[in-house]
Every structure is written in structure tokens, then in C-alpha cells.
Amino acid sequence: MLVRLKNFVKHQLSAQIKIRTKHKIYYRQWERRAQESIEAIRESIKGTNYAKEQALQWLVSEKITNHSFSLLDVGCGPGLMRAVLERHPLFATNVRYTGVDQSEAAINFAKSEFAGKGVFQRLDIEYDELPTNPFDVIMINGVIEHTGGYKKLIDKCLKLKPKIFILSTFAVTHRVSANRLRWNPSGDCFMNIYPFADIYKHLRENIDGAIFISTFGPGKYNPEDYWFPHRGGCLFYCRLYTENRLMVTDQKNPPSLD
Ligand SMILES: C[S@@+](CC[C@H](N)C(=O)[O-])C[C@H]1O[C@@H](n2cnc3c(N)ncnc32)[C@H](O)[C@@H]1O
């Protein structure tokens, strides 16, 4: 508890003084890339990562995804997940996709790149209301670690009563890297301050269904697919349409419902 408090204060302080480092801190990441060239953003939607792939693998086993289903991507950036879905043989056509993000550059890019293939809306996921249409699946990938608090955001998503809620979050072990990863509109750094176990506890307290967890870290993924080689992550896959409260750690396939 004391160590967590110390880490939290340390990160808050370093965020306030914007870290004295020779490295420039970029917090308007998509705006900066858009300024470089639109190709810099297009390049970023070509990639994928472990959390996205594993989440899709689990989604394949859900009955709801046999037919057209709706999906809300919270903190969608320029549509990285939209692009991954488009390349997927099962999900290329049957997803009714909505993406929300605070970045004007990212949302503008997504609107033109995926015209007719989804709804993209610019909003602040911490302070604004999320779209209220019913969503079968809500996902939030690599975003909570850039926000001032994850509990309110998770509660906001769960209030929309999705059948599946997917959340992945990352930590990096290199302090300078952590401090440069500022994606939120305020430019503050929240990387590495939300322990995976605390996030699980909050999910467990608020979800009656099954929660599947897959952790991943150095060595288990292609280091080229992300910027920093030293990182770890956790994927929480929550199935809310069953009373089964099973929790499985590091399970590659969720048990079937039968
Ligand atoms: C590391 S990127 C992840 C993008 C995407 N979800 C993915 O899976 O690749 C973090 C995203 O969160 C967005 N973000 C951070 N804070 C936000 C906020 N308060 N409101 C809306 N979007 C936010 C950023 O603009 C950025 O697109």
C-alpha cells in the first residue's frame, strides 16, 4: 500500500514538473504525426498487438459474433482496431463499429479512411458522455493508463450494459519511456500507476459474469510491433451475459458456454 502510494506521488510529481529530460515529451501524439504526414498515421493503423489479437480470438467463440453485432471502441485513435477488424476474415463485414477519441487529428483521419465503415466521434472519454446506443461489445485498448482514473471510466462503460467488455492496459519498465507516453488531452502522465490486480478487483466487484485474464510481457510478443521493448500488459475479457463467475488466468481459450 505504502509503495503504491509512493509510486503514485512520484509519478504525479514528475508529471507536474514535466520531467526534466533531454527527451521531448509528446502528448498530442496523433496531432504531431498528422503534422509530419498523413502517411505517418496511415502507417500506425497497419499494426496490431497481442491484446487486440487475443481479444479477437476470444470474440470468435462468442455466439453473438455469428451475426452482425455492435462494438464501441473507447479511445479508438485513428481506427487501429477498425483496421484490425477489417483484415479479420470473420469480422470484416459483420461489425457495426463506433469509435470515440479526444484527438481531432485521429478522428478526422478515421472518418475519411473508414468512410461508411463506422461512426467516429470526437469526445473526452473521461468528462463527456459516451454514445448511449446499445453495444454488444465495448472495448478499451491501451487507454486507461493514459487517464486520470480508470474506475469511473469502467463504470461508465458497464452502465451501457454491453454483453462483452474488453479492457487491455500496458505498463513499461523504462521510466523515461513511461513519461513520454502521454496521450491524454491534459498532457499528464499516468503510465504504470494502476496495478493490474487493482483493475481486476474493480472489475470483479462490478461484474457478475466471467472474467478471463491474459497477461503478456517481454519475450512473448514481437518487439517490433510496439515502440518500447520492455513492457508488460494485461488483457481482461469480461463476459457479462452469463452468471458464470469463473476467472481464468493466462488462459488462451475461454471455456465454452456449453
Ligand atoms: C495508446 S493510444 C491507443 C489507441 C487504440 N485504442 C489502440 O488500441 O491502439 C491511447 C488513445 O487514448 C486516447 N485518449 C487518451 N485520453 C483520452 C481522453 N480523455 N478522451 C478520449 N481519448 C483519450 C488518445 O487520444 C489515444 O488515441
Side-chain angles (χ1 to χ4, degrees):
M1 189 62 197
L2 205 63
V3 175
R4 277 183 198 163
L5 188 67
K6 222 173 98 189
N7 279 344
F8 181 79
V9 172
K10 202 165 72 185
H11 275 86
Q12 289 299 312
L13 279 179
S14 62
Q16 293 314 317
I17 57 170
K18 300 281 185 227
I19 288 288
R20 282 188 215 101
T21 164
K22 61 185 167 50
H23 298 281
K24 198 169 173 192
I25 293 165
Y26 299 110
Y27 56 90
R28 288 169 56 80
Q29 303 269 359
W30 299 121
E31 272 64 17
R32 176 176 64 90
R33 281 188 208 182
Q35 269 168 14
E36 279 169 18
S37 77
I38 210 69
E39 278 313 308
I41 293 203
R42 186 159 289 118
E43 223 17 66
S44 69
I45 65 163
K46 288 186 182 157
T48 184
N49 61 27
Y50 173 88
K52 290 189 181 77
E53 293 302 321
Q54 181 64 58
L56 285 191
Q57 210 173 306
W58 281 346
L59 266 185
V60 167
S61 64
E62 301 293 348
K63 288 179 185 123
I64 53 162
T65 59
N66 290 343
H67 311 285
S68 164
F69 65 99
S70 54
L71 184 152
L72 174 66
D73 188 2
V74 179
C76 63
L80 295 95
M81 192 68 204
R82 185 70 197 87
V84 171
L85 288 163
E86 193 163 42
R87 297 194 292 266
H88 194 281
L90 279 177
F91 300 132
T93 52
N94 66 348
V95 181
R96 298 193 305 281
Y97 177 98
T98 302
V100 295
D101 200 284
Q102 55 84 24
S103 162
E104 190 175 6
I107 290 295
N108 285 347
F109 174 88
K111 277 183 176 167
S112 84
E113 188 75 11
F114 301 104
K117 295 176 182 169
V119 174
F120 291 90
Q121 200 181 332
R122 186 184 177 202
L123 56 82
D124 188 317
I125 56 174
E126 283 196 78
Y127 300 106
D128 297 333
E129 289 291 315
L130 295 175
T132 51
N133 337 358
F135 292 104
D136 296 309
V137 180
I138 298 184
M139 52 171 56
I140 172 158
N141 295 313
V143 175
I144 61 163
E145 64 272 25
H146 306 294
T147 63
Y150 62 90
K151 290 186 181 168
K152 251 172 73 179
L153 194 51
I154 289 176
D155 297 349
K156 234 188 212 187
C157 294
L158 294 180
K159 230 172 111 185
L160 297 177
K161 300 201 179 305
K163 296 187 181 80
I164 304 287
F165 178 59
I166 300 168
L167 184 151
S168 69
T169 179
F170 300 85
V172 292
T173 54
H174 193 289
R175 269 194 74 207
V176 174
S177 302
N179 278 300
R180 290 179 70 198
L181 279 170
R182 295 163 187 242
W183 290 87
N184 59 325
S186 67
D188 291 331
C189 174
F190 303 101
M191 199 82 196
N192 292 1
I193 62 169
Y194 305 137
F196 300 157
D198 289 3
I199 299 167
Y200 170 67
K201 191 165 167 274
H202 187 72
L203 288 170
R204 186 70 290 169
E205 281 166 5
N206 290 281
I207 287 175
D208 278 334
I211 301 179
F212 306 105
I213 302 177
S214 184
T215 52
F216 45 99
K220 285 190 182 173
Y221 52 87
N222 173 8
E224 314 249 304
D225 81 357
Y226 223 76
W227 306 306
F228 306 107
H230 304 293
R231 66 185 175 118
C234 195
L235 168 69
F236 299 94
Y237 182 93
C238 314
R239 190 189 270 154
L240 291 106
Y241 62 94
T242 157
E243 291 300 304
N244 175 6
R245 286 175 57 85
L246 184 70
M247 190 277 274
V248 183
T249 307
D250 281 334
Q251 181 83 21
K252 294 285 174 260
N253 299 299
S256 80
L257 287 174
D258 305 325

